[in-house]
Amino acid sequence: MERTFVSECRYNQDVHSMKLHYHNAFEIIYIEKGEIEFLVGEHLYHAADQTLIFISNFEDHSIRILSQEYRRYYILIEPQSLDRLSFDPRLMSIFKSRPADFNHCVDVSAFSPLVEKLFGAIFQECQTGGPYSAELLSSYMQILLVEVFRRFPENFVRSARRINPLMYTIQSYIDQNYTQDISVRQLADEHYLSVHYLSHNFKELTGYSPQQYILLNRLAHAKELLIHTDDPVGHVAFKSGFKDVNNFIRIFKKNTGVTPNKYRTMYRDI
C-alpha cells in the first residue's frame, strides 16, 4: 500500500486505562463516546464525548477511563511525515507549538458529525488504500484542521503581532537537523538576526527556547531508540545528537526522572 503521513490509525473500544507512556509521534485522539481523565506533562484534563486531543511528539501522557464505555479513534503521525505536509505553518502549529496556556483538548460537539465523518474516512482509507491515498488523507486532515481553526483559533499560534516567517524556517531546520551540531548563534547569524530576537520570537512561536527545542528533539529520538531498539545507551546518545554519554545520562535523568536504562525497562512493554 502507498506510504502516507499516517503511521497508524485505529478505532478502539478497549476500556483499559493507559499508564504514562510515550511515542515519538504526533497523536490525535477523537473521543466518540466516553469519559476520561487525561494527563499530559503537568496538565490534567477531564474530557468526554466529542472531544479532540492533540499530543506532540515531546509529550508523555496517560489516560484513566472514567466510564463503562469508551470509543475513540486515534491517529499517529511520525515527525518527518508531518514535516512533508504542505499545509500553512499556522495550521501545523496545533501539533508543534506549546505555549504555557496551550489547551490540548478541543470540544467539537458543535460540528461532531463532520469530525466523525472525517475520522471514519481516514480510518477506512488507511485500511484499504488505493491510488492517490496520500493526497486523499492529506485533504481529509487539512479539512479537519481548518474546521478546528475556524472555531478555535486560540489553539493555534496567536500573537499580538505577526510571527516572523523565519521562525517557521528555523523550527523546520531544527526538526530535520537536531542530531547535528546546532548553535543559536549559528542560526541567528545565518538568518541575519540577533540571538535575543531569535530566542524571543522562537519561544513566542513554539513555547520553547531554541536550546530547549533542540534538546527536546534529541530526547524524543533517544526515547524512541530506547523503547524500540537494543542499542547500547552510548549508541543511543550519539545517534540522538549528544556528544558525551555521561552528559546524555545526566540530562535524560533530569528531564524524565529516571536513567535511560530504567526508562527502557519501564516503557518497552507498554
Side-chain angles (χ1 to χ4, degrees), residues 141-192:
M141 182 58 64
Q142 190 164 31
I143 292 170
L144 177 67
L145 294 179
V146 168
E147 291 296 334
V148 173
F149 178 84
R150 287 179 173 180
R151 293 166 173 84
F152 303 98
E154 66 276 7
N155 278 66
F156 297 77
V157 166
R158 53 199 185 281
S159 175
R161 56 191 177 81
R162 190 168 179 269
I163 293 290
N164 186 328
L166 284 175
M167 297 304 112
Y168 294 109
T169 301
I170 292 169
Q171 183 182 29
S172 179
Y173 177 83
I174 294 173
D175 289 338
Q176 297 170 30
N177 297 279
Y178 59 85
T179 60
Q180 308 301 314
D181 286 328
I182 302 176
S183 74
V184 181
R185 168 61 65 184
Q186 167 203 347
L187 291 172
D189 289 347
E190 288 179 355
H191 294 89
Y192 304 100

Side-chain angles (χ1 to χ4, degrees), residues 226 229-239 248 261 264:
L226 288 168
T229 77
D230 294 318
D231 289 351
V233 169
H235 290 183
V236 170
F238 294 132
K239 286 181 179 180
F248 164 65
N261 277 327
R264 170 175 272 162

Side-chain angles (χ1 to χ4, degrees), residues 35-76:
E35 186 179 1
I36 67 169
E37 191 175 76
F38 172 67
L39 177 67
V40 55
E42 298 179 352
H43 301 278
L44 182 64
Y45 299 94
H46 181 274
D49 301 7
Q50 288 125 36
T51 297
L52 279 175
I53 302 174
F54 291 88
I55 306 167
S56 87
N57 64 318
F58 297 155
E59 295 172 321
D60 292 0
H61 50 283
S62 65
I63 294 174
R64 187 165 72 93
I65 301 173
L66 305 176
S67 57
Q68 295 298 314
E69 187 176 16
Y70 179 45
R71 304 197 308 266
R72 73 280 193 190
Y73 290 95
Y74 69 86
I75 296 171
L76 296 180

Side-chain angles (χ1 to χ4, degrees), residues 4-269:
T4 71
F5 72 93
V6 177
S7 61
E8 187 174 343
C9 179
R10 298 284 178 88
Y11 180 74
N12 203 312
Q13 300 183 59
D14 183 8
V15 293
H16 291 94
S17 297
M18 296 189 69
K19 61 183 180 179
L20 197 67
H21 64 285
Y22 172 80
H23 33 70
N24 188 16
F26 300 97
E27 183 173 7
I28 311 175
I29 300 171
Y30 174 60
I31 302 174
E32 183 181 74
K33 184 72 175 178
E35 186 179 1
I36 67 169
E37 191 175 76
F38 172 67
L39 177 67
V40 55
E42 298 179 352
H43 301 278
L44 182 64
Y45 299 94
H46 181 274
D49 301 7
Q50 288 125 36
T51 297
L52 279 175
I53 302 174
F54 291 88
I55 306 167
S56 87
N57 64 318
F58 297 155
E59 295 172 321
D60 292 0
H61 50 283
S62 65
I63 294 174
R64 187 165 72 93
I65 301 173
L66 305 176
S67 57
Q68 295 298 314
E69 187 176 16
Y70 179 45
R71 304 197 308 266
R72 73 280 193 190
Y73 290 95
Y74 69 86
I75 296 171
L76 296 180
I77 305 170
E78 296 175 351
Q80 59 269 29
S81 298
L82 186 72
D83 286 338
R84 288 197 294 266
L85 293 176
S86 57
F87 298 167
D88 184 279
R90 192 171 182 188
L91 278 183
M92 305 296 275
S93 68
I94 197 167
F95 294 109
K96 302 177 70 172
S97 297
R98 291 295 181 270
D101 58 348
F102 180 79
N103 187 351
H104 293 78
C105 299
V106 180
D107 178 359
V108 296
S109 55
F111 59 111
S112 59
L114 173 60
V115 174
E116 290 179 15
K117 183 176 181 180
L118 287 169
F119 270 87
I122 291 171
F123 176 76
Q124 184 62 36
E125 187 63 26
C126 287
Q127 301 306 303
T128 60
Y132 298 104
S133 185
E135 288 79 3
L136 190 57
L137 286 169
S138 177
S139 297
Y140 292 149
M141 182 58 64
Q142 190 164 31
I143 292 170
L144 177 67
L145 294 179
V146 168
E147 291 296 334
V148 173
F149 178 84
R150 287 179 173 180
R151 293 166 173 84
F152 303 98
E154 66 276 7
N155 278 66
F156 297 77
V157 166
R158 53 199 185 281
S159 175
R161 56 191 177 81
R162 190 168 179 269
I163 293 290
N164 186 328
L166 284 175
M167 297 304 112
Y168 294 109
T169 301
I170 292 169
Q171 183 182 29
S172 179
Y173 177 83
I174 294 173
D175 289 338
Q176 297 170 30
N177 297 279
Y178 59 85
T179 60
Q180 308 301 314
D181 286 328
I182 302 176
S183 74
V184 181
R185 168 61 65 184
Q186 167 203 347
L187 291 172
D189 289 347
E190 288 179 355
H191 294 89
Y192 304 100
L193 304 170
S194 71
V195 170
H196 174 76
Y197 179 90
L198 168 57
S199 298
H200 176 77
N201 282 267
F202 190 87
K203 187 167 186 177
E204 190 173 12
L205 168 64
T206 66
Y208 308 107
S209 70
Q211 297 96 324
Q212 288 174 317
Y213 194 76
I214 294 168
L215 179 61
L216 287 170
N217 269 287
R218 289 174 176 171
L219 287 172
H221 189 61
K223 289 176 181 178
E224 182 178 40
L225 292 175
L226 288 168
I227 294 171
H228 298 295
T229 77
D230 294 318
D231 289 351
V233 169
H235 290 183
V236 170
F238 294 132
K239 286 181 179 180
S240 303
F242 295 92
K243 304 307 178 188
D244 179 84
V245 178
N246 291 328
N247 188 48
F248 164 65
I249 294 172
R250 179 184 62 80
I251 292 173
F252 192 93
K253 186 173 182 180
K254 180 180 178 181
N255 280 267
T256 66
V258 296
T259 64
N261 277 327
K262 179 66 173 178
Y263 188 91
R264 170 175 272 162
T265 301
M266 289 168 57
Y267 286 87
R268 171 159 287 189
D269 294 330

